[in-house]
Amino acid sequence: MIRRIGSGPRLSAATVHGGLVYVSGQVPDDLSVDVVDQTRQVLTKIDAILAEAGTDKSRILSAMVWLPAIGDFGAFNSVWDGWIAPGAAPSRACVESRLADPAIKVEVGCIAALPTD
């Protein structure tokens, strides 16, 4: 069975299948703030999507991070490091990339496992 969360005409916020949750790249809603606050917004959205899917950040297997300015890497990590579940750091890629809107300072997508019990 395939379950879609937050489906729209172009994409779903997440797709659940085969014991995994595939979270689409999430971007902040308030683009007027700096990368630290945008990162907090994005990670809060991911928490909510994972909860709706029936899992949480401690079960993230892989994360993909896009920053339009790699100079924001340290600021991003200052939020990420406090958010990620202790002892459960996922594999992760972080690349510098132009994003859909120049005001977006961070985008994060991930794949997480569902609990098996």
Side-chain angles (χ1 to χ4, degrees):
M1 181 176 101
I2 298 173
R3 181 167 61 112
R4 300 184 195 285
I5 296 170
S7 288
R10 182 171 293 139
L11 59 88
S12 295
T15 304
V16 181
H17 176 70
L20 296 174
V21 181
Y22 301 87
V23 178
S24 294
Q26 299 299 305
V27 297
D29 294 320
D30 180 357
L31 304 182
S32 69
V33 297
D34 66 8
V35 69
V36 168
D37 287 333
Q38 286 195 16
T39 300
R40 286 186 183 119
Q41 290 177 51
V42 167
L43 299 180
T44 297
K45 288 170 87 171
I46 290 173
D47 279 333
I49 292 165
L50 292 175
E52 186 172 343
T55 192
D56 62 51
K57 64 187 171 190
S58 72
R59 302 185 62 80
I60 296 175
L61 304 172
S62 176
M64 297 72 60
V65 179
W66 297 273
L67 297 171
I70 203 66
D72 287 337
F73 185 70
F76 168 81
N77 279 328
S78 72
V79 180
W80 174 270
D81 292 347
W83 175 77
I84 200 68
S91 59
R92 187 184 95 174
C94 182
V95 299
E96 183 175 43
S97 176
R98 186 171 45 179
L99 300 178
D101 181 327
I104 298 171
K105 295 175 174 56
V106 61
E107 182 171 347
V108 180
C110 64
I111 300 169
L114 291 170
T116 56
D117 14 40

